[in-house]
Amino acid sequence: IAEAWEKAVPAYPTDATHVITRIQHLARFFEDGFAQVGKRHNVGAGDIYVLLALRRAPGRLTPTELFRELSVTAGAISKRIDRLAAWGLVSRHADASDGRSIRIELTPAGRAIIDDEILFADDFVLRAAYELDPAEREQLTTLLRRFLTLMERRPDVAVGPKGALGHRTRRP
């Protein structure tokens, strides 16, 4: 892609394009990996993100906590919870401190999908990161964290529902 830009618009600096296209390519590997896990269990890739969020949580989460963590809409979370509950991968529980609310918990079946297919699977795409030595992983993490921080500081762009980039409204 960067080479095509270099030919099409020679004055355009492509250094950043090399970085962005590699990040996009890596993201596609992970998205495809999550989608494949989902297919094997008749759930969508978005449902896998819910299971992952619940797996790393210290306890049950509210739907609000889930949609905020995953940057999706409340409606999307509600539909995902319904699907996952119907498949027996999550369970709903009344919130002891707020009778109007519910908390969502990963069931043993949901936990098994995440543990067996992602976290501890030798063939899942996350394992490729372990082919880098610890110093390389640390260096890459540091650089990506710095790049993400720079993007998050931009006053004109924000990551919104469904991960889509939105434009922040500037206040006078």
Side-chain angles (χ1 to χ4, degrees), residues 137-153:
R137 285 194 304 271
E138 186 176 333
Q139 180 183 22
L140 181 58
T141 299
T142 299
L143 290 171
L144 289 171
R145 184 179 293 124
R146 175 160 162 60
F147 188 50
L148 183 58
T149 299
L150 292 170
M151 293 299 293
E152 290 171 338
R153 282 191 206 159

Side-chain angles (χ1 to χ4, degrees), residues 10-122:
Y12 173 68
T14 59
D15 301 15
T17 305
H18 287 281
V19 173
I20 298 302
T21 56
R22 280 161 180 81
I23 290 171
Q24 288 176 320
H25 197 104
L26 285 168
R28 286 188 201 110
F29 276 111
F30 292 110
E31 290 293 329
D32 184 59
F34 292 140
Q36 288 178 26
V37 169
K39 270 186 185 175
R40 286 194 291 274
H41 298 279
N42 297 313
V43 297
D47 300 324
I48 296 297
Y49 284 108
V50 173
L51 298 177
L52 285 164
L54 290 167
R55 178 65 176 99
R56 69 179 167 266
R60 297 172 179 167
L61 297 178
T62 66
T64 301
E65 290 168 328
L66 281 168
F67 86 71
R68 285 184 180 151
E69 179 172 336
L70 298 174
S71 295
V72 297
T73 64
I77 281 297
S78 180
K79 289 177 185 175
R80 290 176 187 178
I81 291 168
D82 289 345
R83 274 194 307 269
L84 293 167
W87 285 98
L89 302 175
V90 302
S91 57
R92 294 180 176 98
H93 302 273
D95 188 329
S97 63
D98 181 357
R100 299 168 297 161
S101 186
I102 61 167
R103 292 202 165 262
I104 310 302
E105 181 177 38
L106 196 60
T107 64
R111 182 181 177 135
I113 289 172
I114 298 305
D115 286 2
D116 298 345
E117 297 260 10
I118 296 175
L119 300 182
F120 302 109
D122 290 333

